[in-house]
Amino acid sequence: MHIRKKSKGIFFSFLIIALASIFQIGLASEDNYELWKPQENVEVNKSWRIKFNNSLDKSTLRDNIKLIRMDNKEYINIDLQYNNDDNSITVMPLDNYYYNKEYLLVVEKGVKSSKGKVISKGVKFNFRTKALGEQSFGFLKENFINPGNKINSPVEFYNALAYALANFESSITLNISNYNKSIYKLDVINEVLHQHPNLDYGYVGARGSVSSYTYSTEAIMNINFSYRYSKEYMQYMKKHLRIKLNI
């Protein structure tokens, strides 16, 4: 659903898409911001898509779109992807959100069109992630689909690591586009296990190597996983837990 607002600055509309679903946005106003209807039970890897009517000055996006964890007022590291075809911005967290936490997505007035016009009001949108208990057993029940080895975003990188841990893979090779060493790093494995502790049946550590061609933005990452137990024994433990939980 599009919501249009005519202002002295840009004509713009916003569309938020939660994964593959669309939800209706309710608006209320305060002095400097439009307030969108809060959302509950949001997935911890959710990305948000914001659509404008006009083309944007991309240099104004980074400093004017923010994601904040509300309990400690921490700014969350995000990746912004601008689509020239429909003038939309996709906001993705570099690491998954924490469970059962409230977050605030802010679009400041400093966002400008390609012609230098600004929006008359910013936007604020609160959401809360689902509780861990609502998903932890679901991870055991789910039949994982291999996400493949072509990685185009931090979320896909996260999902590839989660899939490897869930299946006790000893090694994986990922082809990463737009590689950034500060984003695509092995520390994400710890984040996966923090968010999904039920995936840890004996993980010890991981080693990785990265190779790429000169002047290329693509890279190949090889990751080797180490476990305390054999794959067969970890599969046995996982199966035994499923039987115990009657899954």
Side-chain angles (χ1 to χ4, degrees):
M1 175 181 176
H2 285 75
I3 296 178
R4 296 182 181 273
K5 178 178 178 63
K6 185 176 181 181
S7 70
K8 295 180 182 179
I10 308 174
F11 291 90
F12 68 98
S13 64
F14 289 93
L15 174 64
I16 286 187
I17 300 180
L19 295 181
S21 63
I22 302 174
F23 59 80
Q24 186 173 5
I25 301 168
L27 291 179
S29 62
E30 65 174 24
D31 289 345
N32 297 312
Y33 296 92
E34 298 286 356
L35 305 181
W36 288 356
K37 184 179 178 180
Q39 294 291 310
E40 299 287 336
N41 296 320
V42 171
E43 297 289 347
V44 294
N45 62 346
K46 189 69 63 68
S47 60
W48 308 99
R49 184 167 172 255
I50 308 169
K51 187 175 181 181
F52 294 79
N53 280 358
N54 299 75
S55 61
L56 300 178
D57 178 353
K58 291 185 286 186
S59 68
T60 65
L61 301 180
R62 177 60 59 183
D63 293 334
N64 290 291
I65 298 179
K66 303 170 184 176
L67 189 57
I68 304 167
R69 179 176 156 183
M70 295 304 291
D71 61 342
N72 59 7
K73 306 303 180 185
E74 177 186 0
Y75 283 89
I76 305 302
N77 293 323
I78 58 175
D79 180 47
L80 300 176
Q81 295 185 358
Y82 179 63
N83 189 327
N84 289 299
D85 294 334
D86 63 358
N87 303 319
S88 67
I89 304 165
T90 301
V91 183
M92 297 181 294
L94 296 187
D95 297 313
N96 278 16
Y97 309 116
Y98 285 89
Y99 285 103
N100 198 28
K101 296 293 183 181
E102 184 179 359
Y103 292 84
L104 174 66
L105 176 63
V106 181
V107 180
E108 300 285 3
K109 290 174 58 177
V111 173
K112 295 181 180 180
S113 73
S114 58
K115 296 182 179 180
K117 295 182 179 180
V118 298
I119 57 178
S120 61
K121 281 191 174 184
V123 172
K124 286 185 176 181
F125 168 62
N126 288 83
F127 62 92
R128 178 176 287 275
T129 54
K130 61 171 53 179
L132 178 61
E134 297 174 23
Q135 177 144 341
S136 59
F137 292 157
F139 235 82
L140 293 174
K141 289 191 236 182
E142 186 174 352
N143 292 320
F144 286 96
I145 297 175
N146 191 334
N149 67 341
K150 295 187 181 298
I151 306 300
N152 298 302
S153 70
V155 171
E156 291 180 356
F157 181 64
Y158 179 101
N159 290 338
L161 295 175
Y163 176 85
L165 291 168
N167 289 276
F168 314 121
E169 301 287 358
S170 60
S171 64
I172 58 174
T173 299
L174 303 176
N175 296 317
I176 304 174
S177 62
N178 298 313
Y179 174 74
N180 184 327
K181 66 179 181 180
S182 64
I183 297 174
Y184 299 103
K185 52 188 179 180
L186 296 183
D187 289 348
V188 176
I189 296 174
N190 294 328
E191 184 67 21
V192 171
L193 294 174
H194 176 81
Q195 298 285 355
H196 304 285
N198 54 294
L199 291 181
D200 188 0
Y201 287 87
Y203 170 78
V204 174
R207 289 187 175 184
S209 62
V210 178
S211 60
S212 63
Y213 292 103
T214 306
Y215 306 119
S216 173
T217 60
E218 297 184 356
I220 297 175
M221 177 180 284
N222 295 295
I223 303 175
N224 296 303
F225 298 90
S226 298
Y227 302 94
R228 186 173 295 108
Y229 309 110
S230 68
K231 184 173 183 177
E232 291 75 15
Y233 184 64
M234 289 186 291
Q235 289 172 332
Y236 169 80
M237 287 193 292
K238 188 173 183 179
K239 180 180 179 180
H240 180 73
L241 181 59
R242 282 178 171 171
I243 294 173
K244 184 176 179 180
L245 295 172
N246 294 319
I247 295 175

